[in-house]
Amino acid sequence: MQNSNYSTKTATLYYIYDPMCSWCYAFRPIWREVQQQLPRQLQVTTVLGGLAPDTEEPMPLAMQHKVRANWQQIIQTVPATIFNFDFWTQCQPRRSTYPACRAVLAAEAQQLNAGSKMLEAIQNAYYQQARNPSETSTLLALATELALDSARFACDLQSPEIQNQLEQNLDLADQLGVSSFPSLILHNQQGLNRIQHSYLDAKAILNQLG
């Protein structure tokens, strides 16, 4: 879980996502724009939702077709989004995103804001470079490319502490009532409020935040 702090905090905006969620990847430019214009009284807390648990099993063909169809739908909905479909022939897909989630946490454990850099590296590797973030070897390579301490990263990636952090994130996502990604939840004096997100218009989101 990562926090972006503002000077006077009277409310919290939760952003719940998964590093290997294709719609989260498509949302990245708008989310960056939203963050740059948020009201100062808001604290932002990012939460790893955990799209798919650990498995060594290949992704079933039906699921592969479904995910590829999602990519095609995203291209129609958010035309600027780039996908490298070579992934489906060059990699062995697995329905497993928890390793990528732990990689974000392990990067942040080393260095402030390294988690967000790891997130972007994972998304670029997966969607643009046809590399598989379900594989530990890919995540270790990304850590090296980000100039992190690779030995520490490899250890942290498998550590009970990082696993515990992931479980805390998953529990919080459940408490917020989130089952799809990306999701935005505003917690203020009125309680929890779901913010409708747009993939094309930052103002449509900002107007709901006051």
PDB file of all heavy atoms in Angstrom, residues 134-161:
ATOM      1  N   SER A 134       4.175 -12.747 -14.644  1.00  0.00           N
ATOM      2  CA  SER A 134       3.844 -13.863 -13.755  1.00  0.00           C
ATOM      3  C   SER A 134       5.087 -14.679 -13.424  1.00  0.00           C
ATOM      4  O   SER A 134       5.064 -15.493 -12.495  1.00  0.00           O
ATOM      5  CB  SER A 134       2.799 -14.775 -14.406  1.00  0.00           C
ATOM      6  OG  SER A 134       1.565 -14.101 -14.560  1.00  0.00           O
ATOM      7  N   GLU A 135       6.161 -14.464 -14.192  1.00  0.00           N
ATOM      8  CA  GLU A 135       7.403 -15.193 -14.000  1.00  0.00           C
ATOM      9  C   GLU A 135       8.350 -14.411 -13.092  1.00  0.00           C
ATOM     10  O   GLU A 135       8.594 -13.223 -13.317  1.00  0.00           O
ATOM     11  CB  GLU A 135       8.088 -15.454 -15.348  1.00  0.00           C
ATOM     12  CG  GLU A 135       7.259 -16.229 -16.349  1.00  0.00           C
ATOM     13  CD  GLU A 135       7.052 -17.677 -15.927  1.00  0.00           C
ATOM     14  OE1 GLU A 135       7.767 -18.137 -15.016  1.00  0.00           O
ATOM     15  OE2 GLU A 135       6.183 -18.340 -16.515  1.00  0.00           O
ATOM     16  N   THR A 136       8.902 -15.085 -12.101  1.00  0.00           N
ATOM     17  CA  THR A 136       9.849 -14.437 -11.192  1.00  0.00           C
ATOM     18  C   THR A 136      11.045 -13.880 -11.944  1.00  0.00           C
ATOM     19  O   THR A 136      11.560 -12.804 -11.616  1.00  0.00           O
ATOM     20  CB  THR A 136      10.324 -15.435 -10.118  1.00  0.00           C
ATOM     21  OG1 THR A 136       9.198 -15.880  -9.364  1.00  0.00           O
ATOM     22  CG2 THR A 136      11.337 -14.808  -9.178  1.00  0.00           C
ATOM     23  N   SER A 137      11.498 -14.585 -12.971  1.00  0.00           N
ATOM     24  CA  SER A 137      12.659 -14.126 -13.738  1.00  0.00           C
ATOM     25  C   SER A 137      12.403 -12.761 -14.371  1.00  0.00           C
ATOM     26  O   SER A 137      13.311 -11.913 -14.424  1.00  0.00           O
ATOM     27  CB  SER A 137      13.015 -15.147 -14.817  1.00  0.00           C
ATOM     28  OG  SER A 137      11.915 -15.373 -15.689  1.00  0.00           O
ATOM     29  N   THR A 138      11.195 -12.533 -14.840  1.00  0.00           N
ATOM     30  CA  THR A 138      10.855 -11.226 -15.417  1.00  0.00           C
ATOM     31  C   THR A 138      10.895 -10.146 -14.353  1.00  0.00           C
ATOM     32  O   THR A 138      11.445  -9.059 -14.569  1.00  0.00           O
ATOM     33  CB  THR A 138       9.458 -11.270 -16.063  1.00  0.00           C
ATOM     34  OG1 THR A 138       9.442 -12.238 -17.098  1.00  0.00           O
ATOM     35  CG2 THR A 138       9.082  -9.908 -16.651  1.00  0.00           C
ATOM     36  N   LEU A 139      10.335 -10.431 -13.191  1.00  0.00           N
ATOM     37  CA  LEU A 139      10.298  -9.435 -12.114  1.00  0.00           C
ATOM     38  C   LEU A 139      11.703  -9.118 -11.617  1.00  0.00           C
ATOM     39  O   LEU A 139      12.017  -7.946 -11.339  1.00  0.00           O
ATOM     40  CB  LEU A 139       9.426  -9.954 -10.972  1.00  0.00           C
ATOM     41  CG  LEU A 139       7.966 -10.238 -11.348  1.00  0.00           C
ATOM     42  CD1 LEU A 139       7.239 -10.911 -10.192  1.00  0.00           C
ATOM     43  CD2 LEU A 139       7.250  -8.952 -11.762  1.00  0.00           C
ATOM     44  N   LEU A 140      12.573 -10.115 -11.529  1.00  0.00           N
ATOM     45  CA  LEU A 140      13.956  -9.873 -11.117  1.00  0.00           C
ATOM     46  C   LEU A 140      14.686  -9.019 -12.151  1.00  0.00           C
ATOM     47  O   LEU A 140      15.473  -8.129 -11.794  1.00  0.00           O
ATOM     48  CB  LEU A 140      14.683 -11.204 -10.918  1.00  0.00           C
ATOM     49  CG  LEU A 140      14.191 -12.081  -9.765  1.00  0.00           C
ATOM     50  CD1 LEU A 140      14.932 -13.419  -9.760  1.00  0.00           C
ATOM     51  CD2 LEU A 140      14.373 -11.378  -8.431  1.00  0.00           C
ATOM     52  N   ALA A 141      14.427  -9.278 -13.413  1.00  0.00           N
ATOM     53  CA  ALA A 141      15.041  -8.467 -14.466  1.00  0.00           C
ATOM     54  C   ALA A 141      14.578  -7.015 -14.389  1.00  0.00           C
ATOM     55  O   ALA A 141      15.380  -6.088 -14.551  1.00  0.00           O
ATOM     56  CB  ALA A 141      14.714  -9.057 -15.837  1.00  0.00           C
ATOM     57  N   LEU A 142      13.310  -6.816 -14.112  1.00  0.00           N
ATOM     58  CA  LEU A 142      12.784  -5.451 -13.994  1.00  0.00           C
ATOM     59  C   LEU A 142      13.416  -4.734 -12.803  1.00  0.00           C
ATOM     60  O   LEU A 142      13.725  -3.536 -12.883  1.00  0.00           O
ATOM     61  CB  LEU A 142      11.267  -5.480 -13.863  1.00  0.00           C
ATOM     62  CG  LEU A 142      10.494  -5.991 -15.084  1.00  0.00           C
ATOM     63  CD1 LEU A 142       8.994  -6.008 -14.790  1.00  0.00           C
ATOM     64  CD2 LEU A 142      10.780  -5.140 -16.314  1.00  0.00           C
ATOM     65  N   ALA A 143      13.615  -5.442 -11.698  1.00  0.00           N
ATOM     66  CA  ALA A 143      14.258  -4.832 -10.535  1.00  0.00           C
ATOM     67  C   ALA A 143      15.667  -4.371 -10.882  1.00  0.00           C
ATOM     68  O   ALA A 143      16.103  -3.275 -10.483  1.00  0.00           O
ATOM     69  CB  ALA A 143      14.290  -5.820  -9.373  1.00  0.00           C
ATOM     70  N   THR A 144      16.378  -5.188 -11.632  1.00  0.00           N
ATOM     71  CA  THR A 144      17.726  -4.809 -12.064  1.00  0.00           C
ATOM     72  C   THR A 144      17.680  -3.594 -12.973  1.00  0.00           C
ATOM     73  O   THR A 144      18.494  -2.666 -12.831  1.00  0.00           O
ATOM     74  CB  THR A 144      18.399  -5.996 -12.795  1.00  0.00           C
ATOM     75  OG1 THR A 144      18.499  -7.104 -11.893  1.00  0.00           O
ATOM     76  CG2 THR A 144      19.780  -5.620 -13.285  1.00  0.00           C
ATOM     77  N   GLU A 145      16.723  -3.578 -13.896  1.00  0.00           N
ATOM     78  CA  GLU A 145      16.585  -2.437 -14.810  1.00  0.00           C
ATOM     79  C   GLU A 145      16.239  -1.149 -14.075  1.00  0.00           C
ATOM     80  O   GLU A 145      16.586  -0.055 -14.520  1.00  0.00           O
ATOM     81  CB  GLU A 145      15.520  -2.755 -15.864  1.00  0.00           C
ATOM     82  CG  GLU A 145      15.945  -3.844 -16.838  1.00  0.00           C
ATOM     83  CD  GLU A 145      14.786  -4.434 -17.629  1.00  0.00           C
ATOM     84  OE1 GLU A 145      13.733  -3.769 -17.728  1.00  0.00           O
ATOM     85  OE2 GLU A 145      14.938  -5.565 -18.132  1.00  0.00           O
ATOM     86  N   LEU A 146      15.584  -1.266 -12.930  1.00  0.00           N
ATOM     87  CA  LEU A 146      15.239  -0.095 -12.118  1.00  0.00           C
ATOM     88  C   LEU A 146      16.349   0.266 -11.131  1.00  0.00           C
ATOM     89  O   LEU A 146      16.172   1.175 -10.309  1.00  0.00           O
ATOM     90  CB  LEU A 146      13.935  -0.352 -11.360  1.00  0.00           C
ATOM     91  CG  LEU A 146      12.667  -0.436 -12.204  1.00  0.00           C
ATOM     92  CD1 LEU A 146      11.478  -0.860 -11.341  1.00  0.00           C
ATOM     93  CD2 LEU A 146      12.368   0.906 -12.885  1.00  0.00           C
ATOM     94  N   ALA A 147      17.474  -0.443 -11.216  1.00  0.00           N
ATOM     95  CA  ALA A 147      18.633  -0.190 -10.354  1.00  0.00           C
ATOM     96  C   ALA A 147      18.329  -0.434  -8.880  1.00  0.00           C
ATOM     97  O   ALA A 147      18.901   0.204  -7.997  1.00  0.00           O
ATOM     98  CB  ALA A 147      19.180   1.226 -10.564  1.00  0.00           C
ATOM     99  N   LEU A 148      17.430  -1.369  -8.603  1.00  0.00           N
ATOM    100  CA  LEU A 148      17.176  -1.775  -7.236  1.00  0.00           C
ATOM    101  C   LEU A 148      18.241  -2.787  -6.809  1.00  0.00           C
ATOM    102  O   LEU A 148      18.947  -3.357  -7.647  1.00  0.00           O
ATOM    103  CB  LEU A 148      15.783  -2.394  -7.112  1.00  0.00           C
ATOM    104  CG  LEU A 148      14.602  -1.461  -7.392  1.00  0.00           C
ATOM    105  CD1 LEU A 148      13.296  -2.251  -7.387  1.00  0.00           C
ATOM    106  CD2 LEU A 148      14.546  -0.329  -6.385  1.00  0.00           C
ATOM    107  N   ASP A 149      18.336  -3.013  -5.514  1.00  0.00           N
ATOM    108  CA  ASP A 149      19.215  -4.051  -4.995  1.00  0.00           C
ATOM    109  C   ASP A 149      18.575  -5.393  -5.348  1.00  0.00           C
ATOM    110  O   ASP A 149      17.602  -5.817  -4.714  1.00  0.00           O
ATOM    111  CB  ASP A 149      19.353  -3.888  -3.477  1.00  0.00           C
ATOM    112  CG  ASP A 149      20.278  -4.904  -2.840  1.00  0.00           C
ATOM    113  OD1 ASP A 149      20.386  -6.027  -3.357  1.00  0.00           O
ATOM    114  OD2 ASP A 149      20.879  -4.579  -1.807  1.00  0.00           O
ATOM    115  N   SER A 150      19.126  -6.064  -6.356  1.00  0.00           N
ATOM    116  CA  SER A 150      18.471  -7.260  -6.887  1.00  0.00           C
ATOM    117  C   SER A 150      18.447  -8.404  -5.892  1.00  0.00           C
ATOM    118  O   SER A 150      17.478  -9.167  -5.845  1.00  0.00           O
ATOM    119  CB  SER A 150      19.143  -7.696  -8.195  1.00  0.00           C
ATOM    120  OG  SER A 150      20.529  -7.910  -8.000  1.00  0.00           O
ATOM    121  N   ALA A 151      19.503  -8.527  -5.088  1.00  0.00           N
ATOM    122  CA  ALA A 151      19.537  -9.605  -4.094  1.00  0.00           C
ATOM    123  C   ALA A 151      18.475  -9.380  -3.031  1.00  0.00           C
ATOM    124  O   ALA A 151      17.758 -10.315  -2.638  1.00  0.00           O
ATOM    125  CB  ALA A 151      20.919  -9.696  -3.462  1.00  0.00           C
ATOM    126  N   ARG A 152      18.370  -8.165  -2.552  1.00  0.00           N
ATOM    127  CA  ARG A 152      17.348  -7.860  -1.555  1.00  0.00           C
ATOM    128  C   ARG A 152      15.957  -8.022  -2.154  1.00  0.00           C
ATOM    129  O   ARG A 152      15.051  -8.560  -1.504  1.00  0.00           O
ATOM    130  CB  ARG A 152      17.524  -6.437  -1.025  1.00  0.00           C
ATOM    131  CG  ARG A 152      16.433  -6.050  -0.037  1.00  0.00           C
ATOM    132  CD  ARG A 152      16.549  -4.635   0.470  1.00  0.00           C
ATOM    133  NE  ARG A 152      15.354  -4.262   1.221  1.00  0.00           N
ATOM    134  CZ  ARG A 152      15.127  -3.047   1.723  1.00  0.00           C
ATOM    135  NH1 ARG A 152      16.028  -2.083   1.564  1.00  0.00           N
ATOM    136  NH2 ARG A 152      14.006  -2.793   2.372  1.00  0.00           N
ATOM    137  N   PHE A 153      15.778  -7.565  -3.396  1.00  0.00           N
ATOM    138  CA  PHE A 153      14.471  -7.687  -4.049  1.00  0.00           C
ATOM    139  C   PHE A 153      14.060  -9.153  -4.160  1.00  0.00           C
ATOM    140  O   PHE A 153      12.911  -9.506  -3.881  1.00  0.00           O
ATOM    141  CB  PHE A 153      14.520  -7.035  -5.434  1.00  0.00           C
ATOM    142  CG  PHE A 153      13.229  -7.109  -6.188  1.00  0.00           C
ATOM    143  CD1 PHE A 153      12.225  -6.168  -5.978  1.00  0.00           C
ATOM    144  CD2 PHE A 153      13.000  -8.116  -7.115  1.00  0.00           C
ATOM    145  CE1 PHE A 153      11.024  -6.245  -6.670  1.00  0.00           C
ATOM    146  CE2 PHE A 153      11.803  -8.196  -7.812  1.00  0.00           C
ATOM    147  CZ  PHE A 153      10.816  -7.252  -7.588  1.00  0.00           C
ATOM    148  N   ALA A 154      14.999 -10.008  -4.569  1.00  0.00           N
ATOM    149  CA  ALA A 154      14.691 -11.436  -4.711  1.00  0.00           C
ATOM    150  C   ALA A 154      14.271 -12.037  -3.375  1.00  0.00           C
ATOM    151  O   ALA A 154      13.344 -12.852  -3.318  1.00  0.00           O
ATOM    152  CB  ALA A 154      15.900 -12.168  -5.274  1.00  0.00           C
ATOM    153  N   CYS A 155      14.941 -11.619  -2.311  1.00  0.00           N
ATOM    154  CA  CYS A 155      14.602 -12.113  -0.974  1.00  0.00           C
ATOM    155  C   CYS A 155      13.241 -11.598  -0.528  1.00  0.00           C
ATOM    156  O   CYS A 155      12.399 -12.355  -0.046  1.00  0.00           O
ATOM    157  CB  CYS A 155      15.696 -11.698   0.002  1.00  0.00           C
ATOM    158  SG  CYS A 155      15.432 -12.290   1.691  1.00  0.00           S
ATOM    159  N   ASP A 156      13.031 -10.289  -0.700  1.00  0.00           N
ATOM    160  CA  ASP A 156      11.768  -9.679  -0.277  1.00  0.00           C
ATOM    161  C   ASP A 156      10.577 -10.259  -1.032  1.00  0.00           C
ATOM    162  O   ASP A 156       9.480 -10.397  -0.475  1.00  0.00           O
ATOM    163  CB  ASP A 156      11.814  -8.164  -0.471  1.00  0.00           C
ATOM    164  CG  ASP A 156      12.677  -7.455   0.565  1.00  0.00           C
ATOM    165  OD1 ASP A 156      13.026  -8.095   1.576  1.00  0.00           O
ATOM    166  OD2 ASP A 156      13.003  -6.271   0.358  1.00  0.00           O
ATOM    167  N   LEU A 157      10.787 -10.567  -2.302  1.00  0.00           N
ATOM    168  CA  LEU A 157       9.698 -11.070  -3.141  1.00  0.00           C
ATOM    169  C   LEU A 157       9.095 -12.345  -2.571  1.00  0.00           C
ATOM    170  O   LEU A 157       7.903 -12.620  -2.752  1.00  0.00           O
ATOM    171  CB  LEU A 157      10.232 -11.319  -4.554  1.00  0.00           C
ATOM    172  CG  LEU A 157       9.238 -11.399  -5.710  1.00  0.00           C
ATOM    173  CD1 LEU A 157       8.421 -10.120  -5.830  1.00  0.00           C
ATOM    174  CD2 LEU A 157       9.980 -11.672  -7.018  1.00  0.00           C
ATOM    175  N   GLN A 158       9.911 -13.121  -1.848  1.00  0.00           N
ATOM    176  CA  GLN A 158       9.465 -14.390  -1.275  1.00  0.00           C
ATOM    177  C   GLN A 158       9.228 -14.298   0.232  1.00  0.00           C
ATOM    178  O   GLN A 158       8.943 -15.316   0.876  1.00  0.00           O
ATOM    179  CB  GLN A 158      10.526 -15.472  -1.550  1.00  0.00           C
ATOM    180  CG  GLN A 158      10.951 -15.597  -2.997  1.00  0.00           C
ATOM    181  CD  GLN A 158       9.818 -16.034  -3.905  1.00  0.00           C
ATOM    182  OE1 GLN A 158       8.919 -16.761  -3.484  1.00  0.00           O
ATOM    183  NE2 GLN A 158       9.844 -15.603  -5.159  1.00  0.00           N
ATOM    184  N   SER A 159       9.352 -13.118   0.799  1.00  0.00           N
ATOM    185  CA  SER A 159       9.351 -12.987   2.253  1.00  0.00           C
ATOM    186  C   SER A 159       7.941 -13.003   2.845  1.00  0.00           C
ATOM    187  O   SER A 159       6.982 -12.547   2.211  1.00  0.00           O
ATOM    188  CB  SER A 159      10.059 -11.695   2.667  1.00  0.00           C
ATOM    189  OG  SER A 159       9.253 -10.571   2.358  1.00  0.00           O
ATOM    190  N   PRO A 160       7.807 -13.493   4.086  1.00  0.00           N
ATOM    191  CA  PRO A 160       6.515 -13.432   4.781  1.00  0.00           C
ATOM    192  C   PRO A 160       6.036 -12.002   4.986  1.00  0.00           C
ATOM    193  O   PRO A 160       4.824 -11.752   4.987  1.00  0.00           O
ATOM    194  CB  PRO A 160       6.804 -14.114   6.124  1.00  0.00           C
ATOM    195  CG  PRO A 160       8.007 -14.960   5.891  1.00  0.00           C
ATOM    196  CD  PRO A 160       8.821 -14.225   4.871  1.00  0.00           C
ATOM    197  N   GLU A 161       6.967 -11.054   5.143  1.00  0.00           N
ATOM    198  CA  GLU A 161       6.584  -9.654   5.375  1.00  0.00           C
ATOM    199  C   GLU A 161       5.858  -9.080   4.162  1.00  0.00           C
ATOM    200  O   GLU A 161       4.820  -8.414   4.304  1.00  0.00           O
ATOM    201  CB  GLU A 161       7.826  -8.817   5.698  1.00  0.00           C
ATOM    202  CG  GLU A 161       8.475  -9.121   7.033  1.00  0.00           C
ATOM    203  CD  GLU A 161       9.342 -10.368   7.003  1.00  0.00           C
ATOM    204  OE1 GLU A 161       9.611 -10.895   5.896  1.00  0.00           O
ATOM    205  OE2 GLU A 161       9.738 -10.838   8.095  1.00  0.00           O
TER     206      GLU A 161
END
